[in-house]
Amino acid sequence: MSENLTAPPAPGDTNPAPETAAPPATPGEQPGGPPAEPDYKALYEQATAKLTTAETAARENSEKAKRLDEIEAANKTEAERANDRATAVEKQLATIRRFAVDAEIRAAATGWADPTDAPRYLDDRDRYISEDGTVDTAAITADL
């Protein structure tokens, strides 16, 4: 007769010997059965709640960023404001020059089946602008 006896825990022993039991079920799995289907509705509601929280925080941060930009703009010196205006004008000028060169390229490609394709074949548009800011149509025509 072989009995499986375990000794009772000693007094003061806080960790009794573990009993043999089934391993704990992992999420989405029922003990001793097939995997359970996740609760999609609860997952959706959790995701929606997190998204709402993130959107609210983003709106608040956007408003704070606008106020900070206004404060920084008010604290700028006249030289800094002039520098910002000059930078903006330089960007506009570069855009206008590009449009002018593209227009000249399309005008020079009148013999093409589709003149709007011509700007794609000429990569370095800056070389068609002379020192005084005019567009060198002769160079465009020669390259086309």
Side-chain angles (χ1 to χ4, degrees):
M1 183 158 123
S2 70
E3 288 182 33
N4 193 2
L5 297 175
T6 59
D13 189 8
T14 57
N15 268 339
E19 296 181 20
T20 54
T26 58
E29 182 180 300
Q30 296 176 351
E37 190 168 319
D39 185 8
Y40 291 113
K41 184 175 181 181
L43 292 173
Y44 172 77
E45 289 171 355
Q46 289 174 356
T48 304
K50 287 180 182 178
L51 179 62
T52 303
T53 304
E55 286 175 340
T56 303
R59 253 186 253 109
E60 290 173 0
N61 291 340
S62 174
E63 292 170 5
K64 289 178 183 178
K66 286 179 186 176
R67 284 192 301 242
L68 179 62
D69 289 343
E70 290 171 359
I71 291 170
E72 287 178 348
N75 290 335
K76 285 185 179 179
T77 64
E78 187 59 36
E80 290 173 329
R81 289 184 195 136
N83 187 25
D84 290 346
R85 285 192 303 267
T87 303
V89 168
E90 286 174 356
K91 287 179 183 177
Q92 289 175 346
L93 180 61
T95 302
I96 291 170
R97 283 184 177 167
R98 182 175 175 96
F99 283 133
V101 170
D102 285 349
E104 289 292 333
I105 291 171
R106 286 190 302 273
T110 55
W112 290 35
D114 188 5
T116 59
D117 286 340
R120 286 187 238 165
Y121 294 101
L122 302 176
D123 295 328
D124 186 19
R125 290 179 178 86
D126 291 336
R127 70 182 189 155
Y128 301 117
I129 299 175
S130 64
E131 291 293 323
D132 63 352
T134 59
V135 179
D136 187 1
T137 55
I140 291 172
T141 305
D143 287 348
L144 286 177

